[in-house]
Amino acid sequence: MNTGSDKPGEAVAMATDGAKTDGAQGERALGSRAPAFIKARRALHVSWQVGVFIVGLAVVGAGIIMLPLPGPGWVVIFGGMAIWATEFVWAQLVLRWTKRKVTEAAQRALDPKVRRRNIIITSIGLVIVIALVGFYLWKFGIVMPWKIKDQ
């Protein structure tokens, strides 16, 4: 709905859903995902953006609280970012960058050399943990650390 005019009361379209911004396939165009009747009225669109920001802020805040507490903190934080990305270009750019970095890390993790290294490091760590548990059991038996007297 690009009218070519910036007169008050008329909306200027950000980008169509079919447009590609940087040539990447499968990526949606940047801009608001609000329904057309909301974008058509400035006051309604601003109040929509404020509502989306507040809901996204509440979800991100809950995710930050979940970081030290039990719960999927990072998943909730990225969920809040996804809520913000429905309306704000900066959040869409952050999510695209994050998705690209996660995809690159997953591809690196599938590399046979990296997998072999990770298996070796995990095995060494497991041997160390088993040795420490064995030493503890040899020295103290099955006794909790806070009940150990001078032995």
Side-chain angles (χ1 to χ4, degrees):
M1 175 178 129
N2 190 355
T3 61
S5 171
D6 290 332
K7 293 180 185 174
E10 293 184 13
V12 178
M14 297 282 195
T16 61
D17 284 339
K20 304 288 186 247
T21 56
D22 55 15
Q25 290 188 347
E27 289 188 3
R28 296 178 70 178
L30 297 175
S32 176
R33 308 266 193 280
F37 73 93
I38 290 177
K39 287 194 264 187
R41 293 164 186 83
R42 178 143 176 83
L44 189 57
H45 193 221
V46 169
S47 61
W48 176 272
Q49 286 180 328
V50 168
V52 166
F53 182 80
I54 290 171
V55 170
L57 186 64
V59 173
V60 168
I64 290 172
I65 290 170
M66 284 184 208
L67 286 176
L69 300 175
W74 285 110
V75 173
V76 174
I77 289 172
F78 288 124
M81 288 295 296
I83 291 171
W84 280 338
T86 63
E87 208 48 45
F88 302 106
V89 173
W90 61 267
Q92 293 169 359
L93 295 173
V94 168
L95 281 180
R96 283 184 183 179
W97 178 84
T98 304
K99 183 178 178 183
R100 188 172 55 250
K101 292 297 180 182
V102 167
T103 304
E104 290 171 5
Q107 290 301 319
R108 281 194 312 267
L110 293 176
D111 181 28
K113 292 179 183 177
V114 174
R115 289 187 68 188
R116 191 174 318 117
R117 182 200 64 201
N118 290 345
I119 290 171
I120 291 170
I121 291 173
T122 303
S123 301
I124 291 171
L126 190 59
V127 167
I128 292 171
V129 168
I130 289 172
L132 290 174
V133 169
F135 175 76
Y136 178 85
L137 290 175
W138 171 74
K139 180 81 173 153
F140 302 109
I142 304 179
V143 179
M144 292 296 136
W146 51 87
K147 292 185 179 183
I148 294 176
K149 304 269 192 248
D150 291 330
Q151 293 184 5

